[in-house]
Amino acid sequence: MKSNSYTGLIFTLLFALQPTFVSAAPKARVTSPVNNQRRVRLTGHLHPHGINESDAGPVDTSEVLPALTLTLRPSDQQEAALEKLLTEQQDPASPNYNQWLTPEQFGERFGVNDADLQKITSWLESQNLHVTTVARARNAITFTGTAGDVGKAFQTEFRHYRSATATHFANAQEPSIPVAFDGVIRSIHGLNNYRMKPHARLHKQSVDPSFTSSSGSHYL
């Protein structure tokens, strides 16, 4: 009997020490019909180099864009809850201290509702685009398609831009999405093939990747 009581106490303590993750499932936010004629523009998608470099003509509409990603926005309530959790995970006095989430746990709390994911992926497929991955955290959808189909789906055009050293492609107008997805789709990645370049290059024999510029800025 004593042993059973002791075992019960151990299980009680273990249960009490579990992270206090209590939240409702994400609510559906795509509540109106998806109408391709009712649109909203996504800003911030024009690459500055594309704007400033020489236009070298349109991209062939049959050229495949292999990896585009829709990043999805949490609701205001999810955003607030996530900020609170991040603070608690770094507070030694909180029961959520160092209680990290798996991608699936993150998706259950802060990702997009399953029904909304289905509506967005179904719309992409209806535009002749192929969905390749839905992120485990339910905050991104990766897809592929030709320049013509992607341009038609997001009401933009792809053009080549030439600099002194290279030729790239980029969208020539800000993309648009059906207004039903406004507030759920945050941005679209992969609309151009410009790549970030390192701010500073280190000698290949250097064993320490840290670097401090003359202005005092630190880089890796």
Side-chain angles (χ1 to χ4, degrees):
M1 186 71 180
K2 182 178 179 181
S3 175
N4 289 340
S5 298
Y6 181 76
T7 302
L9 176 61
I10 294 296
F11 278 118
T12 300
L13 288 173
L14 287 173
F15 181 79
L17 291 172
Q18 292 302 306
T20 56
F21 298 149
V22 179
S23 64
K27 295 181 179 179
R29 289 184 283 147
V30 181
T31 56
S32 60
V34 180
N35 184 341
N36 271 331
Q37 305 308 312
R38 299 185 63 235
R39 292 269 177 158
V40 60
R41 290 279 173 189
L42 297 176
T43 59
H45 289 71
L46 295 178
H47 198 283
H49 289 313
I51 296 173
N52 296 320
E53 291 174 356
S54 298
D55 189 322
V59 173
D60 192 307
T61 56
S62 64
E63 183 172 337
V64 175
L65 308 186
L68 299 103
T69 301
L70 294 182
T71 63
L72 308 177
R73 186 192 304 275
S75 68
D76 292 342
Q77 292 82 0
Q78 287 175 313
E79 195 95 63
L82 178 58
E83 289 296 327
K84 181 175 182 291
L85 175 61
L86 291 174
T87 300
E88 292 173 347
Q89 287 176 327
Q90 300 173 71
D91 179 3
S94 170
N96 287 330
Y97 179 61
N98 280 356
Q99 298 295 330
W100 316 119
L101 303 181
T102 66
E104 289 78 11
Q105 289 171 330
F106 183 96
E108 289 171 4
R109 299 185 63 193
F110 308 112
V112 170
N113 174 282
D114 284 337
D116 289 350
L117 281 175
Q118 183 59 51
K119 290 176 183 177
I120 296 171
T121 56
S122 294
W123 176 78
L124 288 169
E125 295 284 354
S126 75
Q127 304 303 298
N128 206 32
L129 306 176
H130 175 58
V131 173
T132 55
T133 308
V134 175
R136 292 161 59 194
R138 295 194 287 189
N139 58 1
I141 300 171
T142 302
F143 63 99
T144 184
T146 65
D149 288 332
V150 174
K152 182 178 179 181
F154 297 101
Q155 294 190 345
T156 189
E157 178 190 9
F158 294 95
R159 301 190 69 82
H160 291 292
Y161 295 96
R162 182 178 295 116
S163 68
T165 57
T167 298
H168 296 88
F169 76 82
N171 54 302
Q173 302 87 22
E174 295 280 21
S176 75
I177 56 173
V179 72
F181 299 143
D182 190 24
V184 180
I185 294 177
R186 185 196 298 273
S187 61
I188 310 170
H189 292 200
L191 295 176
N192 63 72
N193 65 346
Y194 288 96
R195 297 291 178 262
M196 294 182 67
K197 295 182 179 180
H199 185 89
R201 292 185 181 275
L202 301 176
H203 193 279
K204 67 179 180 180
Q205 294 181 344
S206 172
V207 296
D208 184 358
S210 60
F211 171 78
T212 302
S213 72
S214 59
S215 64
S217 297
H218 304 288
Y219 303 93
L220 290 178

